[in-house]
Amino acid sequence: MTIHNLYIFSKTGILLYYAEWNRLNKSGITKEEEAKLMYGMLFSIKSFVSKISPLDPKEGFLYYKTSKYTLHYFETPSGLKFVLNTDNASQNARELLQQLYREVYLEYVVKNPLCQLNEPIQSELFKIKVDELFKKSPLFLSRSL
Amino acid sequence: MSRTGTKLDAKKVNSELFTLTYGALVAQLIKDYENVEDANKQLERMGYNIGIRLIEDFLARTGSGRCYDFRDTAEKIQSGFKIFLGITPSITNWSPAGDEFSLCFETNPLTEFVELPDNCSNLKYCNILTGVLRGACEMVQMEIACWFVQDQLKNDNITELRVKFVKRLEDAIPAGED
């Protein structure tokens, strides 16, 4: 099981944080362009899901899967978006994202008055804690693919 | 502020310390602005800045989703008071349209040991709460208005906070290529 990379978007679509661990294929565009592309796609999927759903969509879009990887999506009611790419064998990635929100984002961004909420996160402490959380997760195996 | 553990346990704080700290804040504002109206405004603004952060704490703790309707909102606000101030205000006086309600406080930890002097009769001592509610609701796509109609500090029996639903804010769309 492997974690590839992580995106955090604010509710206005600003890329707050990006981190990668095992990523072999580069997109070939700048990080900013990639983030815009990613956010645009997520936004489209979200509205697609809520329009096409035959029932009340409740939580809406949860994840998608390709032959090689799975993209997990977790959005808080306040519009924060956590996006995590893992391999297809990874279970409970959503729980991990909720944990990231509760134990890292809340503690080290929201409760840090020096962190602006709608700007890319600069805090070193936050970076360290994210890294720690992911590396101790059972989803994380540092073997290269 | 916790920097030690990642445990989620609510850090218990002595409410008297909180009450007195808030009192010091209000006293300082009145001194700085020399005008009660400005102090009211400033308290609301500070509350707003607290609210936009506090909502994240609330959501992370309760794991609640977006509100179905305004009654649901009222109950969530009530549980928020329970979590952060340890009190449970009652929800009453619904408007017929269901877009306005009152929160009634029999006890209020902010106003223990407080008496208003005569020259501060226009002071809304707890105005920070209106800001907190407005800021928190705005972050979950709801615009509300919020004000005090009764105040124990002004010799009413209870403290009553009126909350009115204004409108639903739209989700942000991605920024276009420019």
Side-chain angles (χ1 to χ4, degrees):
Chain A
M1 290 193 281
T2 319
I3 288 172
H4 298 305
N5 55 358
L6 166 78
Y7 302 80
I8 303 177
F9 292 99
S10 77
K11 81 166 170 188
T12 51
I14 294 164
L15 180 68
L16 297 180
Y17 189 68
Y18 174 77
E20 67 181 41
W21 289 274
N22 296 303
R23 181 175 182 179
L24 296 181
N25 184 30
K26 303 285 179 218
S27 57
I29 50 177
T30 64
K31 205 173 89 179
E32 289 72 28
E33 283 177 85
E34 188 186 295
K36 268 190 194 170
L37 213 54
M38 175 60 97
Y39 188 80
M41 179 199 66
L42 294 170
F43 189 86
S44 306
I45 294 183
K46 234 179 71 180
S47 67
F48 173 81
V49 166
S50 66
K51 285 197 182 80
I52 291 301
S53 171
L55 306 165
D56 177 12
K58 295 258 190 301
E59 284 199 271
F61 172 48
L62 301 175
Y63 68 92
Y64 77 67
K65 193 182 240 179
T66 73
S67 59
K68 286 285 183 195
Y69 75 102
T70 306
L71 177 143
H72 304 267
Y73 179 76
F74 167 58
E75 183 178 343
T76 69
S78 54
L80 273 171
K81 296 161 183 78
F82 295 86
V83 181
L84 184 69
N85 287 315
T86 67
D87 67 343
N88 287 335
S90 297
Q91 305 276 318
N92 296 332
R94 201 177 167 73
E95 178 49 41
L96 181 65
L97 289 180
Q98 280 164 347
Q99 204 182 351
L100 173 70
Y101 174 51
R102 262 194 333 257
E103 295 176 9
V104 183
Y105 183 82
L106 178 67
E107 293 296 324
Y108 300 102
V109 176
V110 176
K111 293 189 186 173
N112 179 352
L114 296 178
C115 277
Q116 294 300 315
L117 292 181
N118 212 7
E119 281 171 22
I121 299 164
Q122 307 291 350
S123 159
E124 282 300 320
L125 188 60
F126 176 77
K127 286 177 197 175
I128 294 166
K129 294 290 172 182
V130 172
D131 211 50
E132 261 175 31
L133 177 76
F134 280 75
K135 286 192 171 150
K136 75 169 200 248
S137 154
L139 297 186
F140 193 90
L141 262 185
S142 51
R143 99 191 130 85
S144 285
L145 292 177
Chain B
M1 200 184 311
S2 148
R3 278 283 173 272
T4 48
T6 46
K7 287 192 303 282
L8 238 189
D9 60 332
K11 298 274 180 304
K12 297 277 184 264
V13 177
N14 186 331
S15 80
E16 288 179 13
L17 178 63
F18 173 64
T19 307
L20 295 174
T21 310
Y22 184 69
L25 171 76
V26 176
Q28 187 64 43
L29 281 177
I30 293 171
K31 213 189 220 171
D32 287 353
Y33 286 95
E34 297 166 356
N35 176 339
V36 171
E37 287 307 318
D38 288 344
N40 286 341
K41 242 180 248 160
Q42 191 61 20
L43 279 173
E44 210 270 350
R45 244 194 70 199
M46 293 165 98
Y48 175 82
N49 288 326
I50 295 172
I52 59 177
R53 285 178 186 255
L54 201 62
I55 185 71
E56 301 289 355
D57 196 338
F58 177 79
L59 294 171
R61 273 174 210 242
T62 59
S64 54
R66 282 199 181 172
C67 300
Y68 305 111
D69 55 18
F70 205 45
R71 279 176 198 272
D72 191 23
T73 311
E75 278 162 30
K76 286 189 169 125
I77 290 175
Q78 189 185 35
S79 73
F81 274 103
K82 176 83 198 124
I83 293 172
F84 295 113
L85 288 179
I87 48 172
T88 311
S90 51
I91 303 169
T92 52
N93 296 345
W94 278 96
S95 66
D99 64 344
E100 255 186 81
F101 66 89
S102 290
L103 289 163
C104 292
F105 304 81
E106 305 213 331
T107 57
N108 183 348
L110 289 176
T111 57
E112 262 176 84
F113 329 117
V114 175
E115 273 177 47
L116 286 188
D118 291 338
N119 62 347
C120 287
S121 57
N122 283 328
L123 178 70
K124 294 169 188 152
Y125 187 82
C126 297
N127 216 27
I128 202 157
L129 295 179
T130 62
V132 170
L133 289 186
R134 187 170 69 86
C137 287
E138 189 178 304
M139 295 307 281
V140 288
Q141 309 298 82
M142 242 185 311
E143 191 180 321
I144 60 159
C146 186
W147 64 94
F148 282 100
V149 284
Q150 289 191 72
D151 192 337
Q152 278 164 330
L153 292 177
K154 290 164 191 161
N155 296 325
D156 294 314
N157 280 331
I158 48 162
T159 299
E160 181 180 347
L161 185 58
R162 193 90 182 136
V163 183
K164 180 181 168 56
F165 178 79
V166 179
K167 67 171 185 227
R168 202 153 187 95
L169 302 165
E170 289 305 317
D171 275 335
I173 55 164
E177 300 288 329
D178 35 23

